[in-house]
Amino acid sequence: MSTTQTTRVTAEPALPFVDVVREFNAPAERVYHAHTDPALYAQWVGPAKYTTAIEHFDARSGGAYRFSQTGPDGERFAFHGSFHELTAPSRMVQTFEFEGAPGHVSLDISEIENLDGGRCRLTVHSTFQSVEDRDAMLAAGMTDGMNEGYDRLDGILASGAA
Amino acid sequence: MSTTQTTRVTAEPALPFVDVVREFNAPAERVYHAHTDPALYAQWVGPAKYTTAIEHFDARSGGAYRFSQTGPDGERFAFHGSFHELTAPSRMVQTFEFEGAPGHVSLDISEIENLDGGRCRLTVHSTFQSVEDRDAMLAAGMTDGMNEGYDRLDGILASGAA
């Protein structure tokens, strides 16, 4: 299926939130699995030119994760957090810290709901420690990175790999 | 020592934050320990009339916790979350969910710095999913509960138990 999906990103100026809505051509179960299976997650998360290596990924409520991404020039970025809640196939609540900006932690609440026609809708509500932190993450290319990742996820879902 | 400590609580109307500052008559190491040792934590956290029972408390970066509090009439409230980061003796980053309001998760970033005279200052920056969530937590008595807890912690620190 070659339909291009669109990602809707909302970031109100005076509040430390980013809200993302994206639909997928797959049921919630498969999109949830692609977020919580580390081998699948590594295949799509982040900007297209980066390769992801999972260090640990204990995908359960109360677990934690760490992964790194390596770019074409060998630059490497690492990220870690904890899973506050993972409830298949509809809800993921986790912390997120980019180790290039240590001490700045955000909380992501993701919900997946099934739609008609075997599709689903993912909504992500990200909360930052400050409006400045939120703005810095947007300025660093958060939205493009997410979009490129979701486009890769579309490909994986279409191929049947996830 | 019978000096009454004061807790400064800041909650700006249009932002989903609560900021707390409290000083203790003890060095950072002891206040950190009283937050991360489950047996000690159970002795002081929360409103004075409640008794705390720890269900699990894996006090390490990437760990998780759950505890409940029982009141004088047998009413029982449970709380859980994950530890994004615990770095002795200065930094604790954890999620928090009151199970009486399921799905509403906050992120607490606590820092402890030593002051002159063997004292320390605790600052807690709590971030909520929405301003409404923040206001509901304040309306539910968050500030009184914290103050009563910190007063009990003062007593434990003065007694030398922590």
Side-chain angles (χ1 to χ4, degrees), chain A residues 139-155:
Chain A
M142 170 188 181
T143 306
D144 288 348
M146 274 193 327
N147 265 320
E148 291 178 25
Y150 290 148
D151 288 347
R152 283 202 286 199
L153 177 52
D154 281 340

Side-chain angles (χ1 to χ4, degrees), chain B residues 67-80:
Chain B
F67 63 86
S68 64
Q69 298 189 314
T70 304
D73 300 323
E75 69 276 27
R76 190 169 165 279
F77 305 99
F79 308 85
H80 71 270

